[in-house]
Amino acid sequence: MYYLYGYKAEGPPKLVATFASEQQLLAYTRWATLSENEGICKFEQGSSLASYRRWSSSREPITQDDPATVDHNPSPSML
């Protein structure tokens, strides 16, 4: 499983979605990212990253967030 994390201006990362493959995760983040300027991103409204400023991913969990509480394999068609 691949874990997608969102970051706000300050504070720890927050698990926002999980994916079955790295390809799915990368395709989703490409779609969701509208722009990036000096490391600060603007994301598609309605996406799992909408209220965040940047993202990262991991093959292993990096927080105690429960993966069952976030979307698994979200896609633009889920909006």
Side-chain angles (χ1 to χ4, degrees):
M1 180 146 25
Y2 291 81
Y3 300 85
L4 176 62
Y5 292 91
Y7 293 80
K8 298 211 176 202
E10 295 181 21
K14 175 79 174 151
L15 180 64
V16 296
T18 59
F19 294 85
S21 73
E22 184 177 30
Q23 293 84 0
Q24 289 171 311
L25 182 146
L26 294 175
Y28 184 78
T29 56
R30 277 192 299 274
W31 166 81
T33 305
L34 296 174
S35 65
E36 181 180 357
N37 186 17
E38 297 181 14
I40 298 173
C41 297
K42 182 174 181 178
F43 297 107
E44 190 75 54
Q45 284 193 349
S47 74
S48 298
L49 292 164
S51 64
Y52 296 92
R53 296 177 63 143
R54 62 185 182 91
W55 66 272
S56 72
S57 64
S58 176
R59 197 76 168 103
E60 300 293 327
I62 61 172
T63 67
Q64 297 298 316
D65 299 325
D66 182 359
T69 63
V70 299
D71 289 331
H72 180 68
N73 290 331
S75 68
S77 64
M78 293 176 70
L79 298 180

Coordinates of all heavy atoms in Angstrom, one line a residue:
M1 N 0.9 -1.2 0.0 CA 0.0 0.0 0.0 C 0.9 1.2 0.0 O 2.0 1.2 0.6 CB -0.9 0.0 1.2 CG -1.8 1.2 1.2 SD -3.5 1.0 1.9 CE -3.5 -0.3 3.0
Y2 N 0.4 2.3 -0.6 CA 1.1 3.6 -0.7 C 0.3 4.6 0.1 O -1.0 4.7 -0.1 CB 1.3 4.0 -2.1 CG 2.3 3.1 -2.8 CD1 2.0 1.9 -3.3 CD2 3.7 3.5 -2.9 CE1 2.9 1.1 -3.9 CE2 4.6 2.7 -3.5 CZ 4.2 1.5 -4.0 OH 5.1 0.6 -4.6
Y3 N 0.9 5.4 0.9 CA 0.2 6.4 1.7 C 0.5 7.8 1.2 O 1.7 8.2 1.0 CB 0.7 6.2 3.2 CG 0.5 4.9 3.7 CD1 1.4 3.8 3.5 CD2 -0.7 4.6 4.5 CE1 1.1 2.6 4.0 CE2 -0.9 3.4 5.0 CZ 0.0 2.3 4.7 OH -0.3 1.1 5.2
L4 N -0.5 8.6 1.0 CA -0.4 10.0 0.6 C -0.7 10.9 1.8 O -1.7 10.8 2.5 CB -1.4 10.3 -0.5 CG -1.5 11.7 -1.1 CD1 -0.1 12.1 -1.7 CD2 -2.6 11.9 -2.1
Y5 N 0.3 11.8 2.0 CA 0.2 12.7 3.2 C 0.1 14.2 2.7 O 0.7 14.6 1.7 CB 1.4 12.6 4.1 CG 1.4 11.3 4.8 CD1 2.1 10.2 4.2 CD2 0.8 11.1 6.0 CE1 2.1 9.0 4.8 CE2 0.8 9.9 6.6 CZ 1.4 8.8 6.0 OH 1.4 7.6 6.6
G6 N -0.7 15.0 3.4 CA -0.9 16.4 3.1 C -0.2 17.2 4.2 O -0.2 16.7 5.4
Y7 N 0.3 18.3 3.9 CA 1.0 19.2 4.8 C 0.3 20.6 4.8 O 0.2 21.1 3.7 CB 2.5 19.4 4.6 CG 3.3 18.1 4.7 CD1 3.3 17.1 3.8 CD2 4.0 17.9 5.9 CE1 4.0 16.0 3.9 CE2 4.8 16.8 6.0 CZ 4.8 15.8 5.1 OH 5.5 14.6 5.2
K8 N 0.0 21.1 5.9 CA -0.5 22.5 6.0 C 0.7 23.4 6.3 O 1.9 22.9 6.3 CB -1.5 22.6 7.1 CG -2.7 21.8 6.8 CD -4.0 22.3 7.3 CE -5.1 21.4 6.9 NZ -6.4 22.1 6.9
A9 N 0.5 24.7 6.4 CA 1.7 25.6 6.6 C 2.5 25.2 7.8 O 3.8 25.2 7.8 CB 1.1 27.0 6.9
E10 N 1.9 24.8 8.9 CA 2.6 24.3 10.1 C 1.9 23.1 10.6 O 0.8 22.9 10.3 CB 2.6 25.4 11.2 CG 3.4 26.6 10.8 CD 3.4 27.7 11.9 OE1 3.2 27.3 13.1 OE2 3.6 28.8 11.6
G11 N 2.7 22.2 11.2 CA 2.1 21.0 11.8 C 2.6 19.8 11.1 O 3.3 19.8 10.1
P12 N 2.2 18.7 11.7 CA 2.6 17.4 11.2 C 1.9 17.0 9.9 O 0.8 17.5 9.6 CB 2.3 16.4 12.3 CG 1.1 17.0 13.0 CD 1.3 18.5 12.9
P13 N 2.4 16.0 9.2 CA 1.7 15.5 8.0 C 0.4 14.8 8.5 O 0.2 14.3 9.6 CB 2.6 14.5 7.4 CG 3.5 14.0 8.5 CD 3.6 15.2 9.5
K14 N -0.6 14.8 7.5 CA -1.9 14.1 7.8 C -2.1 13.1 6.6 O -2.0 13.5 5.5 CB -3.0 15.2 7.8 CG -4.4 14.7 8.0 CD -4.7 14.3 9.4 CE -6.1 13.9 9.5 NZ -6.4 13.0 10.5
L15 N -2.5 11.9 7.0 CA -2.8 10.9 6.0 C -4.1 11.4 5.3 O -5.1 11.6 5.9 CB -3.0 9.6 6.6 CG -3.4 8.4 5.7 CD1 -2.2 8.1 4.7 CD2 -3.7 7.2 6.4
V16 N -4.1 11.5 3.9 CA -5.2 11.9 3.2 C -5.8 10.9 2.3 O -7.0 11.0 1.9 CB -5.0 13.2 2.4 CG1 -4.6 14.4 3.4 CG2 -3.9 13.1 1.4
A17 N -5.0 9.9 1.9 CA -5.5 8.8 1.0 C -4.5 7.7 1.0 O -3.3 7.9 1.3 CB -5.7 9.3 -0.4
T18 N -5.0 6.5 0.5 CA -4.1 5.4 0.3 C -4.3 4.9 -1.1 O -5.4 5.1 -1.7 CB -4.4 4.2 1.3 OG1 -5.7 3.8 1.2 CG2 -4.1 4.7 2.7
F19 N -3.3 4.2 -1.7 CA -3.3 3.7 -3.0 C -2.7 2.3 -3.1 O -1.8 2.0 -2.4 CB -2.5 4.7 -4.0 CG -3.1 6.0 -4.1 CD1 -2.9 7.0 -3.1 CD2 -4.0 6.3 -5.1 CE1 -3.5 8.3 -3.2 CE2 -4.6 7.6 -5.2 CZ -4.3 8.5 -4.3
A20 N -3.3 1.6 -4.0 CA -2.8 0.2 -4.2 C -1.4 0.2 -4.9 O -0.6 -0.8 -4.8 CB -3.8 -0.6 -5.0
S21 N -1.1 1.2 -5.8 CA 0.1 1.2 -6.5 C 0.7 2.6 -6.5 O 0.0 3.6 -6.4 CB -0.1 0.7 -7.9 OG -0.7 1.7 -8.7
E22 N 2.0 2.7 -6.7 CA 2.7 4.0 -6.9 C 2.2 4.7 -8.1 O 2.0 5.9 -8.1 CB 4.2 3.8 -6.9 CG 4.9 5.1 -7.0 CD 6.4 4.9 -7.0 OE1 6.9 3.9 -7.5 OE2 7.1 5.8 -6.4
Q23 N 1.9 4.0 -9.2 CA 1.4 4.6 -10.4 C 0.1 5.3 -10.2 O -0.1 6.4 -10.7 CB 1.3 3.6 -11.5 CG 2.6 3.0 -12.0 CD 3.1 1.8 -11.2 OE1 2.4 1.4 -10.2 NE2 4.2 1.3 -11.5
Q24 N -0.8 4.7 -9.4 CA -2.1 5.3 -9.1 C -1.9 6.6 -8.3 O -2.5 7.6 -8.5 CB -3.0 4.4 -8.3 CG -3.5 3.2 -9.2 CD -4.2 2.2 -8.4 OE1 -3.7 1.7 -7.3 NE2 -5.4 1.8 -8.8
L25 N -1.0 6.5 -7.3 CA -0.7 7.7 -6.4 C -0.2 8.8 -7.3 O -0.6 10.0 -7.1 CB 0.2 7.3 -5.3 CG 0.6 8.4 -4.3 CD1 0.8 7.8 -2.9 CD2 1.8 9.2 -4.7
L26 N 0.8 8.5 -8.1 CA 1.4 9.6 -8.9 C 0.5 10.2 -9.9 O 0.4 11.4 -10.1 CB 2.7 9.1 -9.6 CG 3.8 8.7 -8.6 CD1 5.0 8.1 -9.4 CD2 4.3 9.9 -7.8
A27 N -0.4 9.4 -10.5 CA -1.4 9.9 -11.5 C -2.4 10.8 -10.7 O -2.7 11.9 -11.2 CB -2.1 8.7 -12.1
Y28 N -2.8 10.4 -9.5 CA -3.7 11.2 -8.8 C -3.1 12.6 -8.4 O -3.7 13.6 -8.5 CB -4.1 10.5 -7.5 CG -5.2 11.2 -6.7 CD1 -6.5 11.2 -7.1 CD2 -4.8 11.9 -5.6 CE1 -7.5 12.0 -6.4 CE2 -5.8 12.7 -4.9 CZ -7.1 12.6 -5.3 OH -8.0 13.4 -4.6
T29 N -1.8 12.6 -7.9 CA -1.2 13.8 -7.5 C -0.9 14.7 -8.7 O -1.0 15.9 -8.6 CB 0.1 13.6 -6.7 OG1 1.0 12.8 -7.4 CG2 -0.2 12.9 -5.3
R30 N -0.6 14.1 -9.9 CA -0.5 15.0 -11.1 C -1.8 15.6 -11.4 O -1.8 16.8 -11.8 CB 0.0 14.1 -12.2 CG 1.5 13.9 -12.3 CD 2.0 13.3 -13.6 NE 1.4 12.0 -13.9 CZ 1.9 10.9 -13.5 NH1 3.0 10.8 -12.8 NH2 1.3 9.8 -13.8
W31 N -2.9 14.9 -11.3 CA -4.2 15.5 -11.6 C -4.6 16.5 -10.6 O -5.1 17.6 -10.9 CB -5.3 14.4 -11.6 CG -6.7 15.0 -11.6 CD1 -7.4 15.5 -12.6 CD2 -7.5 15.2 -10.4 NE1 -8.6 16.0 -12.2 CE2 -8.6 15.8 -10.8 CE3 -7.3 14.9 -9.1 CZ2 -9.7 16.1 -9.9 CZ3 -8.3 15.2 -8.2 CH2 -9.5 15.8 -8.6
A32 N -4.4 16.2 -9.3 CA -4.8 17.1 -8.2 C -4.0 18.4 -8.1 O -4.5 19.4 -7.6 CB -4.8 16.4 -6.9
T33 N -2.8 18.4 -8.6 CA -1.9 19.6 -8.4 C -2.2 20.6 -9.6 O -1.9 20.3 -10.7 CB -0.4 19.2 -8.4 OG1 -0.2 18.2 -7.4 CG2 0.5 20.4 -8.2
L34 N -2.7 21.7 -9.2 CA -3.0 22.7 -10.2 C -1.8 23.6 -10.5 O -1.6 24.0 -11.7 CB -4.2 23.6 -9.8 CG -5.5 22.9 -9.6 CD1 -6.5 23.9 -8.9 CD2 -6.0 22.4 -10.9
S35 N -1.1 23.9 -9.5 CA 0.1 24.7 -9.7 C 1.1 24.5 -8.5 O 0.6 24.1 -7.4 CB -0.2 26.2 -9.8 OG -0.8 26.7 -8.6
E36 N 2.3 24.9 -8.7 CA 3.3 24.9 -7.6 C 4.2 26.1 -7.8 O 4.7 26.4 -8.9 CB 4.1 23.6 -7.7 CG 5.2 23.5 -6.6 CD 6.0 22.3 -6.6 OE1 5.8 21.4 -7.4 OE2 6.9 22.2 -5.8
N37 N 4.4 26.8 -6.7 CA 5.3 28.0 -6.7 C 6.1 28.0 -5.4 O 5.5 28.1 -4.3 CB 4.5 29.2 -6.8 CG 5.3 30.5 -7.0 OD1 6.5 30.4 -7.3 ND2 4.7 31.6 -6.8
E38 N 7.4 27.8 -5.5 CA 8.3 27.9 -4.4 C 7.9 26.8 -3.3 O 7.9 27.1 -2.2 CB 8.4 29.3 -3.8 CG 9.0 30.3 -4.8 CD 9.1 31.7 -4.2 OE1 9.0 31.8 -3.0 OE2 9.3 32.6 -5.0
G39 N 7.6 25.6 -3.8 CA 7.3 24.5 -2.9 C 5.9 24.5 -2.3 O 5.5 23.7 -1.5
I40 N 5.1 25.5 -2.7 CA 3.7 25.6 -2.2 C 2.7 25.3 -3.4 O 2.8 25.9 -4.4 CB 3.3 27.0 -1.6 CG1 4.2 27.3 -0.4 CG2 1.9 27.1 -1.2 CD1 4.1 28.7 0.1
C41 N 1.9 24.3 -3.1 CA 1.0 23.8 -4.2 C -0.4 24.3 -4.0 O -0.8 24.6 -2.9 CB 1.0 22.3 -4.2 SG 2.6 21.5 -4.6
K42 N -1.1 24.4 -5.1 CA -2.5 24.7 -5.1 C -3.1 23.4 -5.7 O -2.7 22.9 -6.8 CB -2.9 25.9 -6.0 CG -4.4 26.2 -5.9 CD -4.7 27.5 -6.6 CE -6.2 27.7 -6.5 NZ -6.6 28.9 -7.1
F43 N -4.1 22.9 -5.0 CA -4.7 21.6 -5.4 C -6.2 21.8 -5.9 O -6.9 22.7 -5.4 CB -4.7 20.6 -4.3 CG -3.2 20.2 -3.9 CD1 -2.7 20.7 -2.7 CD2 -2.5 19.4 -4.7 CE1 -1.4 20.4 -2.3 CE2 -1.2 19.1 -4.3 CZ -0.6 19.6 -3.1
E44 N -6.6 20.9 -6.7 CA -8.0 20.8 -7.2 C -8.9 20.7 -6.0 O -8.8 20.0 -5.1 CB -8.1 19.5 -8.0 CG -9.3 19.4 -8.8 CD -9.4 20.3 -10.0 OE1 -8.4 20.2 -10.9 OE2 -10.4 21.0 -10.2
Q45 N -10.0 21.6 -6.0 CA -11.0 21.6 -5.0 C -11.7 20.2 -5.1 O -12.0 19.7 -6.2 CB -12.0 22.7 -5.1 CG -11.5 24.0 -4.7 CD -12.6 25.0 -4.6 OE1 -13.7 24.8 -5.0 NE2 -12.2 26.2 -4.0
G46 N -12.0 19.6 -3.9 CA -12.7 18.3 -3.9 C -11.7 17.2 -3.9 O -12.1 16.1 -3.6
S47 N -10.4 17.5 -4.1 CA -9.4 16.4 -4.1 C -9.0 16.1 -2.6 O -9.3 17.0 -1.7 CB -8.2 16.7 -4.9 OG -7.4 17.7 -4.2
S48 N -8.4 15.0 -2.3 CA -8.0 14.7 -1.0 C -7.0 15.7 -0.5 O -6.8 15.8 0.7 CB -7.4 13.3 -0.9 OG -8.3 12.3 -1.3
L49 N -6.3 16.4 -1.3 CA -5.3 17.4 -1.0 C -5.8 18.8 -0.9 O -5.0 19.8 -0.7 CB -4.1 17.3 -2.0 CG -3.3 16.0 -1.9 CD1 -2.4 15.8 -3.1 CD2 -2.5 16.0 -0.6
A50 N -7.0 19.1 -1.1 CA -7.6 20.4 -1.3 C -7.2 21.5 -0.3 O -6.9 22.6 -0.6 CB -9.1 20.4 -1.5
S51 N -7.1 21.1 0.9 CA -6.8 22.1 2.0 C -5.3 22.1 2.4 O -5.0 22.7 3.4 CB -7.7 21.9 3.2 OG -7.4 20.6 3.8
Y52 N -4.5 21.5 1.7 CA -3.1 21.4 2.0 C -2.2 22.2 1.1 O -2.6 22.6 0.0 CB -2.7 19.9 2.0 CG -3.4 19.1 3.1 CD1 -4.6 18.5 2.8 CD2 -3.0 19.1 4.4 CE1 -5.3 17.8 3.8 CE2 -3.7 18.4 5.4 CZ -4.8 17.8 5.0 OH -5.5 17.1 6.0
R53 N -0.9 22.4 1.5 CA 0.0 23.2 0.8 C 1.0 22.4 0.0 O 1.7 22.8 -0.9 CB 0.7 24.1 1.7 CG -0.2 25.1 2.4 CD 0.5 26.0 3.3 NE 1.5 26.8 2.7 CZ 1.8 28.0 3.0 NH1 1.2 28.6 3.9 NH2 2.8 28.6 2.3
R54 N 1.3 21.1 0.5 CA 2.2 20.2 -0.2 C 1.9 18.8 0.1 O 1.0 18.6 1.0 CB 3.6 20.6 0.1 CG 4.1 20.5 1.5 CD 5.5 21.0 1.7 NE 5.9 20.8 3.1 CZ 6.5 19.7 3.5 NH1 6.8 18.7 2.8 NH2 6.8 19.6 4.8
W55 N 2.5 17.9 -0.6 CA 2.2 16.5 -0.3 C 3.5 15.7 -0.3 O 4.6 16.1 -0.8 CB 1.3 15.9 -1.3 CG 1.8 15.8 -2.7 CD1 1.8 16.8 -3.7 CD2 2.5 14.7 -3.3 NE1 2.4 16.4 -4.8 CE2 2.9 15.1 -4.6 CE3 2.9 13.5 -2.9 CZ2 3.6 14.3 -5.5 CZ3 3.6 12.7 -3.8 CH2 3.9 13.1 -5.1
S56 N 3.4 14.5 0.3 CA 4.5 13.5 0.2 C 3.9 12.1 0.3 O 2.7 12.0 0.6 CB 5.5 13.6 1.4 OG 4.9 13.2 2.6
S57 N 4.6 11.1 -0.1 CA 4.1 9.8 0.0 C 5.1 8.8 0.6 O 6.3 9.2 0.8 CB 3.8 9.3 -1.5 OG 5.0 9.2 -2.2
S58 N 4.6 7.7 1.0 CA 5.5 6.7 1.7 C 4.9 5.3 1.5 O 3.7 5.1 1.3 CB 5.5 7.0 3.2 OG 6.2 6.0 3.9
R59 N 5.8 4.4 1.5 CA 5.4 3.0 1.4 C 4.9 2.4 2.7 O 4.2 1.4 2.8 CB 6.6 2.2 0.9 CG 6.4 0.9 0.3 CD 5.9 0.9 -1.1 NE 6.1 -0.5 -1.5 CZ 5.1 -1.4 -1.6 NH1 3.9 -1.1 -1.3 NH2 5.4 -2.6 -1.9
E60 N 5.4 3.1 3.8 CA 5.0 2.7 5.1 C 4.3 3.8 5.8 O 4.6 5.0 5.5 CB 6.2 2.3 5.9 CG 7.0 1.1 5.4 CD 6.3 -0.2 5.4 OE1 5.5 -0.4 6.4 OE2 6.5 -1.0 4.5
P61 N 3.4 3.6 6.8 CA 2.8 4.7 7.5 C 3.8 5.5 8.2 O 4.8 5.0 8.8 CB 1.8 4.0 8.5 CG 1.8 2.6 8.1 CD 3.0 2.3 7.2
I62 N 3.6 6.9 8.2 CA 4.6 7.7 9.0 C 3.8 8.5 10.1 O 4.4 9.2 10.8 CB 5.3 8.7 8.1 CG1 4.3 9.6 7.3 CG2 6.2 8.0 7.1 CD1 5.0 10.8 6.6
T63 N 2.5 8.2 10.2 CA 1.7 8.8 11.3 C 0.9 7.7 11.9 O 0.8 6.6 11.4 CB 0.8 9.9 10.8 OG1 -0.2 9.4 9.9 CG2 1.6 11.0 10.1
Q64 N 0.2 8.0 12.9 CA -0.8 7.1 13.6 C -2.2 7.2 13.0 O -3.1 6.5 13.5 CB -0.8 7.4 15.1 CG 0.5 7.2 15.8 CD 1.0 5.7 15.7 OE1 0.2 4.8 15.9 NE2 2.3 5.6 15.4
D65 N -2.4 7.9 11.9 CA -3.7 8.1 11.3 C -4.2 6.7 10.8 O -3.4 5.9 10.3 CB -3.6 9.0 10.1 CG -3.2 10.4 10.4 OD1 -3.6 10.9 11.5 OD2 -2.5 11.1 9.6
D66 N -5.4 6.5 10.9 CA -6.1 5.2 10.5 C -6.3 5.2 9.0 O -7.2 6.0 8.6 CB -7.3 5.0 11.3 CG -8.0 3.7 11.0 OD1 -7.5 2.9 10.2 OD2 -9.1 3.4 11.6
P67 N -5.7 4.3 8.3 CA -6.0 4.2 6.8 C -7.4 3.9 6.5 O -7.9 4.3 5.4 CB -5.0 3.1 6.3 CG -4.0 3.0 7.4 CD -4.7 3.4 8.7
A68 N -8.2 3.3 7.4 CA -9.6 3.0 7.1 C -10.4 4.3 7.1 O -11.6 4.2 6.6 CB -10.1 2.0 8.1
T69 N -9.9 5.4 7.5 CA -10.7 6.6 7.6 C -10.5 7.5 6.4 O -11.1 8.6 6.3 CB -10.4 7.4 8.9 OG1 -9.0 7.8 8.9 CG2 -10.7 6.6 10.1
V70 N -9.7 7.2 5.5 CA -9.4 8.0 4.3 C -9.8 7.2 3.0 O -9.9 6.0 3.0 CB -7.9 8.5 4.2 CG1 -7.6 9.3 5.4 CG2 -7.0 7.3 4.1
D71 N -9.9 7.9 1.9 CA -10.3 7.3 0.6 C -9.1 6.3 0.2 O -7.9 6.7 0.3 CB -10.5 8.3 -0.5 CG -11.8 9.1 -0.3 OD1 -12.7 8.5 0.3 OD2 -11.8 10.2 -0.7
H72 N -9.5 5.2 -0.4 CA -8.5 4.3 -1.0 C -8.7 4.4 -2.5 O -9.8 4.2 -3.0 CB -8.7 2.9 -0.5 CG -7.8 1.9 -1.0 ND1 -6.4 1.9 -0.7 CD2 -7.9 0.9 -1.9 CE1 -5.8 1.0 -1.4 NE2 -6.7 0.3 -2.1
N73 N -7.6 4.6 -3.2 CA -7.6 4.8 -4.6 C -8.6 5.8 -5.1 O -9.3 5.6 -6.0 CB -7.9 3.4 -5.3 CG -6.7 2.4 -5.2 OD1 -5.6 2.8 -5.1 ND2 -7.1 1.2 -5.2
P74 N -8.5 7.0 -4.5 CA -9.5 8.1 -5.0 C -9.1 8.4 -6.5 O -8.0 8.2 -6.9 CB -9.2 9.2 -4.1 CG -7.8 9.1 -3.6 CD -7.6 7.6 -3.5
S75 N -10.1 8.9 -7.2 CA -9.9 9.2 -8.6 C -10.8 10.5 -8.9 O -11.7 10.7 -8.1 CB -10.3 8.1 -9.5 OG -11.7 7.9 -9.5
P76 N -10.5 11.2 -9.9 CA -11.3 12.4 -10.2 C -12.7 12.1 -10.4 O -13.6 12.9 -10.1 CB -10.7 12.9 -11.6 CG -9.2 12.4 -11.5 CD -9.3 11.1 -10.8
S77 N -13.1 10.9 -10.8 CA -14.5 10.5 -11.0 C -15.2 10.4 -9.7 O -16.5 10.4 -9.7 CB -14.6 9.2 -11.8 OG -14.0 8.1 -11.0
M78 N -14.5 10.4 -8.6 CA -15.2 10.3 -7.3 C -15.7 11.7 -6.8 O -16.5 11.7 -5.9 CB -14.2 9.8 -6.2 CG -13.8 8.3 -6.4 SD -12.6 7.7 -5.2 CE -13.6 7.7 -3.7
L79 N -15.3 12.7 -7.5 CA -15.8 14.1 -7.1 C -17.2 14.3 -7.4 O -17.8 13.9 -8.2 CB -14.9 15.2 -7.8 CG -13.4 15.1 -7.4 CD1 -12.7 16.2 -8.2 CD2 -13.2 15.3 -5.9

